[in-house]
Each structure stands twice: as structure tokens, then as C-alpha cells.
Amino acid sequence: MGTDQKTPIGSLAIDRSSPPAPGEIRPFHFPPFLRRFLPCGLTVLAARFPGVPLINLELLAPAGAQLDPPDGEGLATLTAALLDEGTAGRSAMEIATGIEQLGGYLATGADWDTGYIGTGLLRRHLGAGMRLVAEVATTPSFPEEEIARARQQRLTEILRRRHSPAVLADEQLARAIYRGTSYAHSVLGSARSIADLGRDAIVDFYRRYFILAGSTLIAVGDLEPELLLAEAAAAFGGPPPATARPQAPAIRPAPLPGIAVHIVDRPGAAQTELRLGHAGVSLNHPDFMALSVLNTLLGGKFTSRINLNLRERHGYTYGASSRFAGRLGPGPFVVAAAVATEAAGPAAREVLGELRRIREEPVALEEMEETRSYILGVFPYTLQTVGDLAKRLEDLAVYGLPDDYFNRYLACVAALSREEVLELARRHLDPDHAAIVAVGPADLLRPQLEALGELTVTAPDS
């Protein structure tokens, strides 16, 4: 009888001089879903996610913060936050008790583009969940006492955020880039604007923008599509309203004349929050798909150019990143990092240098292939849960994207050339017309940054 010969694991020769080669990328296709229209004007996007007996429902209305009036910053998010604080038939406590009895959750809110009402619960409670979403969407009562409580909570949150350097940096960058447009303010509003908002303004905003016609119901989970449609039709029923929805104002930020440097003074801070950016493009822009590849190369992953430069090469920061923010309007392109205060000026110069370098020469073939492999390999992991799939369907609905958008996205990534990335960088990155924001001690930051462009120093509360 022979004896099996086994090599001890410790004696195996392992080449640690280079990382292992990536495995073969498996083909991926976006999960199927249906798109239907209800008599009330509501669009339904639904996808079956078998295996877990859960349902996610979300109603999306075109009632985002871009619609805030000039004297009512924060109105959209405050209105959305109050939707579940009482309806014509139930108080806020009764609504909360009802969803707890179903073992689920209910959330309302708004971002720049939409107002939303969402719930997650067990499949067997689909009908009850649908009726609850419809009740909150169509019959909110906006009690005065709940408005007063929500207003005070919002004012407290705004005060708290005044002590966050990262928030101060983001808000100052938005003001610098989008001056004169709704994107220049925080979605939460300011202490002044929130203090002035009353019930009449909230009810008027709700009536103007939370209209079923033009809104979308997202449903994902272990569901039967026909049963879902029947439940939705029964809950929301009725014809669409006769009144037309007001159009959102176009957001057209004025181009920056050059590099503008803004220091928000925080005396004694050992660390500085650094931001650099300018206006970008809307999420439904034809180039937005391909820009994800450019951004991943530049600052969208750990081995991106900006992070390797600022973190690994120079030790200025623990991490730096960049992004093209997707919105209905031209969202910002932003580079963000928290750096040692004494390194703020050198870090800003390195970022500007990386933006210029990627506009001047094609990326190396190996760098391009590594980035492509990263994106194609990571994307399926963004669709592992019911909530992940619901978020992708929301993108299709909110930004008017075609049903095959995500399959086309993967094909775009796979086919994009180095020359096309170079042209994208030249069209959509503009390091010579950008805003730089540094939140830290002005006495140390001014001599580092003043040579970069026109400089302004403000206090955190200005």
C-alpha cells in the first residue's frame, strides 16, 4: 500500500514580490425588473429578490432640496421629515406603534433631488406596508406641535454641525462653487431660514410637489409582481390630479474666473480639512458613466493617484478621495482630505498637479487595466441586498435612465480606452478654475495658500 506524500504548507515557495493575478471576471447582468403605470399617475418599478422574505417599498416624489425657495432654505427636507408625524387618521405615536407591530421600519426624508417615504418589512405584511406608505404620502396632517419639535431638532443639528470641520469645508465649497443657486446652501437650511418656516410654507410645499403623478414607487423583495401591482392600485387608486407639477429651476453655476482660496479660521487646529473642486455634470449626462472610470483612477479607490500621492508618497493624510456627485443638476467634482495643518499648502499643490497630469497624458496601460478590473469586479457586490437593488432602481427612476443603463455601464467600462479617459479629463476637470477650501488656523494656512489664487478668510459662523 502506497503512502500519500504531502508537502508541508510552510515549505511552499510563495512569491511575495507581486500581488496575485486577478481571476477571470464573471459575466454580470442587472437583475430583471418590471415597470408599470398606475391610473393615479404613479410609476412602479419592481424587482423580485428571492431567498429572504423581506420587502422594501419606497415612494419617490420630485420634491428635493433644489426646489427650496430663496427665502426658505431647508423647506424640502423639513417637509419630508414631517410626513410621518401624523396623518388624517393617525397620530405620530400611532404610526410608530403600527409599524413596530409589523416588525418593520418607516422613514421619510429628502435629498437634493427627491422626497421619499420608505418602509421595510416582512413579505406577509406587504398589504399593510403599502397602505401605510399611501396614507403617509396622501394625508399628512402636519400638526403644529410636531412642526415646533422638528424645527427645534433641526436648529440643534445645525448648531452641532457648526463644530464639524468636515461639514464647514463641504458647505464653504458649495457656496464658492454654486453662489446664486440653490446648491449653494445646505439641504438642512440655516438657523435663520428654519426659524422662519411656518406651517403654511410646509403645507404649500407638500401640495405643490408631493403629487402622485410623476412620482415613483420602488418595490424590491420576495414578491409576486401581479400581487404587488394589485396592492399598489388599491392603496393609491384614483385618477391623476388635474394640476400640473411646477418645473424645477435650472441650476447654472457661473464659471469660476480662476482659482479661489477660502480659509475658514479655526485657531489652534492641528489638522485641516481640505477641499478642492468645481461644478461637474448631472448624473444623466452622456459622459457620467465614463467619468466613473476617470474618477476611480484619480481618487475613487485606495490605489488611486491622489491617495497614493498624499498618503503613501508624502504622508500628508490618512486618506484622500475624489468624486463626481450625481444630481439632477450639475453636481460637484470634489477632492477631499484631512491633512496635517503644516502640509495643507503642499497637499493642495499636489492635488492640482494630479488634476493637470491626468489631462496631459494618457494613463499607463497597466493602470487602466487594473482600474477597469477593479470596477467590473466590485460592481456586483453593490447588489447583494434588497436595499442595494432598490437604490439602483431609484437611480433609474429619479434620473430618467433607460432600463438597460447598468448593463450599458459595465459595457462602457469594459470598452473605454485610455485616449477616451484623456479626453474626458480635458472636458470635465478644470484645475485652473476651481475653489480650494481649508478649514483650520488661518495664521498658519494663509502663507501656505495665498500664492495659489485669490484668498478669502472667514469665521466658522459667517
Side-chain angles (χ1 to χ4, degrees):
M1 180 181 294
T3 303
D4 290 341
Q5 298 291 324
K6 295 185 177 180
T7 303
I9 292 176
S11 66
L12 291 176
I14 300 176
D15 180 8
R16 300 184 186 277
S17 63
S18 61
E24 182 180 354
I25 296 176
R26 299 181 181 180
F28 173 83
H29 298 284
F30 192 77
F33 63 94
L34 64 82
R35 183 189 293 265
R36 296 290 187 273
F37 302 94
L38 299 183
C40 63
L42 191 66
T43 300
V44 179
L45 296 183
R48 189 175 185 192
F49 198 100
V52 180
L54 299 175
I55 299 287
N56 264 29
L57 299 174
E58 188 162 8
L59 182 72
L60 306 173
Q66 66 171 347
L67 298 166
D68 283 347
D71 58 347
E73 300 167 0
L75 178 57
T77 53
L78 188 63
T79 301
L82 286 161
L83 290 172
D84 62 346
E85 298 297 339
T87 66
R90 285 193 275 188
S91 67
M93 183 60 69
E94 288 169 334
I95 292 172
T97 300
I99 193 65
E100 286 181 1
Q101 290 174 343
L102 296 175
Y105 70 84
L106 180 71
T108 67
D111 56 23
W112 281 113
D113 302 319
T114 61
Y116 62 85
I117 304 163
T119 186
L121 30 67
L122 292 172
R123 175 182 56 197
R124 66 175 180 270
H125 297 314
L126 170 62
M130 189 76 73
R131 290 190 293 275
L132 179 58
V133 170
E135 178 182 349
V136 170
T138 59
T139 64
S141 57
F142 300 111
E144 287 282 8
E145 64 274 15
E146 297 295 345
I147 292 174
R149 182 184 60 79
R151 185 190 296 114
Q152 188 57 50
Q153 286 181 335
R154 177 65 59 84
L155 291 171
T156 301
E157 174 63 11
I158 290 171
L159 179 62
R160 184 193 68 80
R161 289 165 64 90
R162 305 317 301 166
H163 299 281
S164 168
V167 170
L168 291 173
D170 291 337
E171 292 184 351
Q172 180 59 56
L173 184 67
R175 285 193 291 271
I177 295 173
Y178 293 107
R179 190 172 304 278
T181 76
S182 59
Y183 282 178
H185 67 72
S186 165
V187 295
L188 298 182
S190 65
R192 178 198 57 77
S193 66
I194 293 299
D196 291 341
L197 291 178
R199 186 175 186 277
D200 288 347
I202 291 168
V203 171
D204 179 67
F205 187 90
Y206 165 77
R207 289 175 176 169
R208 286 164 61 86
Y209 299 113
F210 279 91
I211 302 172
L212 293 183
S215 297
T216 303
L217 178 69
I218 306 292
V220 177
D222 194 2
L223 53 83
E224 294 295 336
E226 295 307 319
L227 174 60
L228 170 81
L229 291 171
E231 294 283 5
F236 291 97
T243 56
R245 182 188 304 279
Q247 292 296 310
I251 295 174
R252 298 188 179 93
L256 295 170
I259 295 179
V261 180
H262 300 265
I263 296 174
V264 180
D265 188 21
R266 294 187 76 243
Q271 183 169 270
T272 290
E273 283 289 340
L274 188 65
R275 299 291 184 273
L276 188 151
H278 54 68
V281 298
S282 62
L283 191 146
N284 54 18
H285 188 282
D287 285 347
F288 197 86
M289 279 185 190
L291 283 172
S292 70
V293 179
L294 169 63
N295 184 68
T296 302
L297 276 160
L298 190 61
K301 58 186 175 72
F302 185 81
T303 56
S304 64
R305 290 185 174 189
I306 290 175
N307 192 58
L308 288 181
N309 184 327
L310 269 60
R311 176 191 162 101
E312 302 300 316
R313 192 178 311 152
H314 290 101
Y316 294 153
T317 180
Y318 284 112
S321 63
S322 68
R323 72 184 189 279
F324 284 92
R327 298 180 187 172
L328 282 169
F333 166 73
V334 181
V335 179
V339 302
T341 290
E342 64 273 14
R349 288 177 174 84
E350 290 297 329
V351 171
L352 290 171
E354 292 294 353
L355 297 183
R356 290 173 178 136
R357 181 164 74 96
I358 206 167
R359 286 165 45 91
E360 292 168 356
E361 58 188 26
V363 300
L365 179 61
E366 182 180 359
E367 185 182 17
M368 183 71 187
E369 290 306 317
E370 190 276 333
T371 300
R372 192 194 318 277
S373 176
Y374 171 83
I375 296 172
L376 295 176
V378 165
F379 185 80
Y381 288 101
T382 67
L383 287 164
Q384 295 187 93
T385 68
V386 171
D388 291 340
L389 182 51
K391 179 64 178 70
R392 298 296 184 179
L393 293 181
E394 291 167 23
D395 288 342
L396 298 183
V398 173
Y399 302 108
L401 305 176
D403 289 356
D404 64 347
Y405 179 84
F406 291 109
N407 288 329
R408 290 170 53 195
Y409 166 69
L410 295 175
C412 170
V413 173
L416 198 68
S417 70
R418 295 182 298 147
E419 292 72 23
E420 287 171 319
V421 169
L422 179 62
E423 288 305 314
L424 284 168
R426 290 172 174 172
R427 284 201 299 271
H428 298 294
L429 295 177
D430 195 352
D432 295 322
H433 298 84
I436 297 174
V437 173
V439 180
D443 58 334
L444 299 179
L445 292 173
R446 181 192 294 271
Q448 299 182 58
L449 298 171
E450 59 188 353
L452 291 178
E454 184 177 351
L455 188 143
T456 304
V457 179
T458 60
D461 295 329
S462 60

